[in-house]
Amino acid sequence: MNFRYLIPLIALILAGCSKPSEKIIVATAANVQYVMKEIKVEFEKETGKQIEIVVGSSGNLTTQIREGAPFDVFVSADTKYPDEIFKNGGSDEKPRVYALGSLVLWSKNIPQAKLNTALLSTEKIRKIAVPNPKTAPYGVAAIDVLKSQKLYDQTEPKLVYGESTAQTAQYIMSGSAEVGFNALSIVLSPEMRNKGYYIVVDSILYQPIEQAAILLKHSDDSPKKESSQKFYDFLFSEKGKAILKKYGYK
């Protein structure tokens, strides 16, 4: 026998017999990614179970779930997308609201004292970064603000859309846009804290940003069913709530 071919063959057989990964995959809206990193650390420390975080806009993650992505838990930036998943049979239980988000107006160079929504329609501002309202709930809130302040018509040509709050933050911090709307949790994250200037937008100017999570459906014999439930419960625990509060969530 040619042993040169025997070793790769054995490796292939062992790979085919290996157990499927028991790592919990959490689809996470971009605005809550930094919170999720901390929750991941605490949950893994407490349970020994591993978490993998997949970040994207809520709309894009929902599309992936619809197309069969192997996610175990979906942590959205709104209630609309988790409700849609539940109604389409993607979960055995209704989604739960885990936090109320806050919108900010943020700039790399404009001082806080000069930041306000009225500034957006002036010649000083050429580009305004906004999460895409088609896929990102914070983008919907930003458009609500512009319309409620009767600024949408003047500012619409200036709007530059990011596919998520994360991409919108890149536009703002790179200076590609002089100013932009984003989630308070992003500006309070360790990666972004003290970068630029921001003001919290009055919450009466937009519909409340209720953020919900949903435990996705597992078969009864799935090795991840129990651990996914534990992670979902951990998100709503006192430890989970304390981390969310640190990032400005109500």
Side-chain angles (χ1 to χ4, degrees):
M1 179 179 288
N2 190 331
F3 288 98
R4 189 169 53 144
Y5 298 106
L6 183 58
I7 293 173
L9 179 60
I10 293 171
L12 185 63
I13 292 170
L14 290 174
C17 296
S18 63
K19 290 170 59 180
S21 172
E22 293 187 14
K23 188 179 289 185
I24 305 161
I25 305 176
V26 183
T28 304
N31 76 90
V32 79
Q33 63 181 300
Y34 300 111
V35 172
M36 203 53 54
K37 284 181 182 179
E38 287 204 32
I39 288 178
K40 165 185 160 75
V41 170
E42 290 301 317
F43 179 77
E44 289 180 342
K45 189 190 303 179
E46 189 169 295
T47 66
K49 301 292 184 181
Q50 287 189 307
I51 302 290
E52 180 180 335
I53 300 169
V54 177
V55 178
S57 67
S58 297
N60 287 340
L61 290 170
T62 300
T63 298
Q64 292 176 48
I65 292 167
R66 199 184 296 130
E67 293 174 351
F71 302 146
D72 299 300
V73 178
F74 176 33
V75 182
S76 181
D78 69 353
T79 57
K80 171 187 158 188
Y81 291 115
D83 280 340
E84 176 189 317
I85 291 167
F86 174 71
K87 287 173 185 174
N88 289 330
S91 175
D92 292 323
E93 56 183 273
K94 291 183 178 180
R96 291 171 60 191
V97 173
Y98 63 89
L100 192 65
S102 296
L103 187 71
V104 298
L105 187 63
W106 189 21
S107 174
K108 180 181 179 182
N109 298 312
I110 300 172
Q112 187 180 52
K114 294 184 178 180
L115 265 182
N116 56 69
T117 53
L119 180 69
L120 302 179
S121 62
T122 67
E123 293 180 358
K124 293 179 181 178
I125 304 299
R126 292 173 299 163
K127 290 183 180 179
I128 304 165
V130 177
N132 188 344
K134 292 180 180 178
T135 56
Y138 281 82
V140 175
I143 299 301
D144 281 350
V145 171
L146 294 174
K147 289 182 175 178
S148 65
Q149 295 288 83
K150 303 192 186 311
L151 293 169
Y152 184 74
D153 289 340
Q154 303 101 294
T155 58
E156 194 274 335
K158 304 179 181 183
L159 300 182
V160 179
Y161 295 109
E163 278 308 302
S164 65
T165 53
Q167 189 176 65
T168 306
Q170 290 173 9
Y171 292 161
I172 297 167
M173 286 297 98
S174 68
S176 298
E178 292 92 342
V179 68
F181 289 96
N182 217 302
L184 177 59
S185 59
I186 296 289
V187 301
L188 292 181
S189 69
E191 288 83 349
M192 296 295 176
R193 190 182 294 273
N194 300 321
K195 289 185 179 180
Y197 309 90
Y198 73 93
I199 59 168
V200 178
V201 178
D202 192 332
S203 61
I204 67 169
L205 299 177
Y206 58 90
Q207 291 294 315
I209 307 173
E210 291 186 326
Q211 302 195 190
I214 189 166
L215 178 66
L216 299 171
K217 185 173 282 187
H218 293 77
S219 62
D220 289 337
D221 60 350
S222 168
K224 296 201 287 182
K225 184 174 183 179
E226 184 180 345
S227 54
S228 296
Q229 180 72 60
K230 284 182 179 178
F231 175 80
Y232 186 68
D233 293 340
F234 189 84
L235 181 63
F236 295 93
S237 70
E238 290 306 313
K239 282 185 179 179
K241 289 176 183 176
I243 295 171
L244 284 160
K245 187 175 180 181
K246 188 166 76 170
Y247 284 81
Y249 290 104
K250 299 173 185 176

